[in-house]
Amino acid sequence: MGVDRLRCVSFSGTAYAGMVGQNVTQDTDWPLGEPLQRYTRVIDFESRSSVETFERPPLQNPASWKYGPGWLGGTPLQRHRQQTFAVQGEQAWHVDGPDDPVPAPNSAELWQLDIWMTPHGFVRAARMPGANTTAIWRWEVGESGRDGATTGAINKVTVVSATVLGRYRVNATVREGDIVQRTQTRVPHPVLGDMNYEHEYSAWVDLGDGMVFPGGWHHHDGWDDERQVPLLSGGHNSFGGSFPEMRANDCQTLNVPESVAGATEAPPHVVSTELAEGVWLLGGGTHNSVAVEFSSFVAVIEAPLDERRSLAVIDEVVALVPDKPIRFLVNTHDHYDHLGGLRTYLHVGATVLTHQRNRMFYESELLNYVPRTLEPDMVSLYPPTEISEGYTMEDVDEKYILGDGNRYLEIHYVQGLASHVEGMLMAYLPAERILIEADLYDPALLPDEVQRPTEVERALLRNVTQLDLRPETVVPIHGRSVNWEEFLLETRQAH
């Protein structure tokens, strides 16, 4: 492949980025966002840097998220067409059009890993001290398709395995002609644990002087599991494209912005706001939770993002209500940015309330004893007996009520969200007239040019009307709480 001669490479074309963890149903692929137009990437293997630039209509991926959960998710939305994602060594950042760079320290390692999972990057990494490189051979059968198993095109390949960045065991499939056609490893993920992470390469371009580089890319987050065995989650296609325009060794120095150098991931910040007596909004980040106190227990609505966020929220709940257990965790839906803390609440003794569509997925892939070796969480380190013997989950179909004789929390199924997600729940406190919802209405998030009401905003009003709920306050999982009239006014649904 000309590894020793290729110091850096730039390539251009059209790409796509899948909306990881945002599928409508669990057995379908990640939805595709708008195409990444005028995509260009420069990879410099010697300086350990990568810069991606592309154009995409605004209001897509939030700042500092390239792939992964949280597609809209309450974080600042993309405001400009031009986008830049860069990493050099341990520093990573994102630039939205002409705005200032936004540090992305929690993404730096993954973006750095992507450099070493390119064919040329892998060969370089496999030669480094500590790589512990090994190899085997095998006969590889072609992929199964909708027309049945493939019986031809059985090829003998070599699988070379090496440790990259000190902890990722990357496997490279080398086909005839000593070409790396696939690289695969596992990366830590708050929902899927040690998640499959895989690149496939094709359409090789001759760069001259014995150098070739792939012009076709295809990347999976999760297994490419057409048969759904043994997993239920169907999403996998998270990035790909065709990049026919290439240049070799046109290297330029990448300078880390001053505002990015040395940036570290901030600890979770939780701010509690009392909505009513014994009811608190737990905000301070991109995603909220809501705590509701009952006579002998507490219920928390939503466990977003990851264990770190959830532990910070739990600490705040304990400070607010010191002597009552968190007995229930209400999960609104199965998008990954809303699931990352379910295991944490299960571990502290909460029963998960979720729509019945989600039970099989959660039990098989989330609330289980499968080891998490890359980033062990509480369930991995201290496995609770409840997963195998206890009361871990309660199904909600159309309606479910938590109560103690004095306070009641109604949990309702939200109908009519076929283009967003199946199995959405919202919660309602009838005495306090407080409605708690996720992703249906995010106050002041969308700019003025977006046509209102959106499909999900119409669905929210339709469900509230059909159920004869009479909210005075809307409490979103993304953003601040507002009164009902403000919701109607902003979404242009005022009567």
Side-chain angles (χ1 to χ4, degrees):
M1 299 186 301
V3 171
D4 293 334
R5 291 180 290 279
L6 189 65
R7 304 186 309 277
C8 68
V9 61
S10 63
F11 48 96
S12 303
T14 300
Y16 67 85
M19 300 164 68
V20 175
Q22 305 294 301
N23 37 351
V24 178
T25 59
Q26 291 135 13
D27 60 349
T28 55
D29 199 356
W30 312 133
L32 291 182
E34 294 288 336
L36 312 183
Q37 299 174 340
R38 305 181 72 174
Y39 180 96
T40 296
R41 185 173 184 180
V42 180
I43 298 176
D44 190 320
F45 300 107
E46 296 186 347
S47 67
R48 301 188 300 147
S49 67
S50 168
V51 181
E52 294 175 273
T53 60
F54 55 82
E55 292 182 359
R56 177 176 53 190
L59 308 181
Q60 302 294 317
N61 233 19
S64 296
W65 287 89
K66 184 168 60 170
Y67 319 119
W71 192 265
L72 293 180
T75 60
L77 293 180
Q78 170 196 331
R79 299 292 178 177
H80 306 281
R81 289 190 60 87
Q82 183 72 28
Q83 298 294 292
T84 302
F85 292 91
V87 62
Q88 178 164 292
E90 289 71 43
Q91 306 296 326
W93 64 97
H94 163 254
V95 183
D96 185 2
D99 294 349
D100 294 333
V102 177
N106 58 330
S107 299
E109 186 174 79
L110 183 63
W111 299 358
Q112 185 69 216
L113 177 64
D114 280 337
I115 296 175
W116 306 115
M117 288 186 69
T118 64
H120 295 66
F122 173 80
V123 175
R124 286 173 174 263
R127 294 171 171 173
M128 293 180 181
N132 190 26
T133 304
T134 60
I136 64 167
W137 62 266
R138 63 183 298 267
W139 291 99
E140 183 170 86
V141 181
E143 293 186 6
S144 298
R146 292 184 176 88
D147 298 327
T150 301
T151 57
I154 301 176
N155 299 306
K156 189 174 183 179
V157 299
T158 300
V159 180
V160 181
S161 184
T163 299
V164 176
L165 299 179
R167 69 166 179 158
Y168 299 101
R169 195 66 182 171
V170 179
N171 300 310
T173 300
V174 184
R175 64 170 172 82
E176 184 180 2
D178 294 333
I179 295 293
V180 175
Q181 72 176 41
R182 180 188 306 113
T183 55
Q184 177 272 331
T185 190
R186 293 175 185 260
V187 299
H189 190 278
V191 176
L192 299 180
D194 295 353
M195 183 185 72
N196 183 60
Y197 196 77
E198 180 178 348
H199 293 276
E200 295 180 350
Y201 301 102
S202 60
W204 290 75
V205 176
D206 188 346
L207 300 176
D209 195 22
M211 297 179 291
V212 293
F213 198 79
W217 287 43
H218 184 69
H219 171 61
H220 300 151
D221 277 8
W223 293 104
D224 188 7
D225 191 6
E226 294 178 354
R227 297 182 180 274
Q228 305 301 305
V229 178
L231 306 178
L232 298 177
S233 57
H236 51 272
N237 296 312
S238 62
F239 176 78
S242 176
F243 313 116
E245 301 176 23
M246 266 181 220
R247 296 194 312 274
N249 296 331
D250 186 8
C251 306
Q252 297 180 353
T253 301
L254 176 64
N255 296 316
V256 178
E258 186 175 331
S259 61
V260 172
T264 58
E265 185 177 4
H269 179 56
V270 180
V271 177
S272 59
T273 303
E274 189 172 41
L275 302 169
E277 184 178 355
V279 182
W280 296 273
L281 172 65
L282 303 165
T286 61
H287 296 62
N288 304 324
S289 298
V290 176
V292 181
E293 181 183 7
F294 293 86
S295 59
S296 60
F297 65 89
V298 176
V300 174
I301 301 161
E302 212 70 324
L305 296 177
D306 53 27
E307 183 174 88
R308 293 177 70 246
R309 175 70 189 178
S310 293
L311 287 174
V313 170
I314 290 169
D315 284 345
E316 183 68 14
V317 173
V318 171
L320 294 168
V321 191
D323 301 320
K324 295 179 183 179
I326 300 175
R327 187 64 189 86
F328 296 96
L329 186 285
V330 180
N331 163 242
T332 62
H333 63 297
D334 68 353
H335 283 173
Y336 283 9
D337 56 318
H338 295 261
L339 296 186
L342 288 195
R343 288 165 61 94
T344 314
Y345 282 87
L346 175 67
H347 198 280
V348 300
T351 295
V352 175
L353 303 181
T354 190
H355 193 265
Q356 51 89 8
R357 294 175 183 269
N358 301 328
R359 171 179 278 274
M360 193 174 297
F361 169 51
Y362 290 2
E363 287 185 339
S364 65
E365 297 188 47
L366 179 58
L367 306 179
N368 56 35
Y369 289 130
V370 175
R372 298 190 170 202
T373 62
L374 292 166
E375 287 186 3
D377 61 1
M378 294 173 67
V379 172
S380 294
L381 294 172
Y382 318 104
T385 187
E386 290 93 331
I387 289 181
S388 58
E389 298 179 356
Y391 182 52
T392 61
M393 196 179 313
E394 183 76 12
D395 292 352
V396 178
D397 191 2
E398 295 293 330
K399 183 177 180 179
Y400 190 101
I401 298 178
L402 284 175
D404 59 5
N406 296 309
R407 164 170 281 162
Y408 296 95
L409 176 66
E410 300 177 1
I411 304 167
H412 296 278
Y413 169 58
V414 181
Q415 302 185 47
L417 297 179
S419 65
H420 183 68
V421 69
E422 285 288 347
M424 173 71 82
L425 300 177
M426 63 182 181
Y428 182 61
L429 289 161
E432 296 81 1
R433 298 179 68 180
I434 294 175
L435 178 70
I436 303 148
E437 54 79 27
D439 291 2
L440 306 178
Y441 168 58
D442 300 331
L445 177 65
L446 299 181
D448 294 338
E449 58 266 25
V450 174
Q451 185 174 354
R452 311 293 282 274
T454 64
E455 180 182 356
V456 292
E457 290 167 349
R458 288 195 299 268
L460 177 58
L461 178 58
R462 183 171 60 250
N463 278 266
V464 167
T465 302
Q466 290 174 347
L467 294 167
D468 197 25
L469 308 182
R470 301 187 180 185
E472 289 183 348
T473 304
V474 182
V475 180
I477 299 303
H478 305 298
R480 61 183 177 86
S481 62
V482 301
N483 63 53
W484 182 248
E485 292 303 320
E486 185 173 341
F487 157 73
L488 294 175
L489 183 63
E490 182 180 350
T491 62
R492 301 172 188 172
Q493 299 183 95
H495 298 299

